[in-house]
Amino acid sequence: MPTKMKNAFPDPPFRDPAWRAFGDEVSDVTVLAPKDWARFRAGLKQVGRRHEGRVPSASLHRYIAKTAFFCAAHWGQTPRVVRGALRAYLKHPLDTTMYSYTAAEYWQWAFKVSPADLPAAESMLAEVREYLPSLDDHERRNTEGLLAFLERQRG
């Protein structure tokens, strides 16, 4: 297993009304990400405070960190913002699938926005390639497809 990966703990099921309400509020706040990053981050913190104690704290913090990273990378935020969001997200336990998606999103952002970050992104993808043999057939095919997609983008 890659050095940055930890055993992930399960989030509450989506049918849990408190978890669903939390997810819906986070989703509502994401509309701010491309327009007003500061208000987006403040909104995520407010949602976290409102739902603290209603949903498992570790899941809440991981979900907020995940949302911040994926929005930062997707909307082409600055290297400082994306690196900070990635560091915060990688502090949480991630399963192999989420680590793969995170590495791919980081690589795509680095390729488009910050070539200086490509070596770090490539290192994450190398970790993904290392754990391919340990995946079940379905996960391995999906992950290989993700890696092939990134290769095509590279050109």
Side-chain angles (χ1 to χ4, degrees), residues 11 16 102 108 126 131 149 154:
D11 288 332
D16 177 308
T102 302
Q108 287 180 309
Y131 68 71
F149 171 76
R154 181 179 286 153

Side-chain angles (χ1 to χ4, degrees), residues 31-43:
V31 300
L32 295 171
K35 304 170 197 162
D36 189 338
W37 188 256
R39 280 187 57 218
F40 163 69
R41 291 296 289 149

Side-chain angles (χ1 to χ4, degrees), residues 128-144:
V128 170
R129 286 183 196 94
E130 283 176 24
Y131 68 71
L132 273 174
S134 70
L135 302 177
D136 65 37
D137 287 342
H138 177 74
E139 281 184 290
R140 187 172 51 256
R141 281 193 306 274
N142 283 346
T143 305
E144 287 170 344

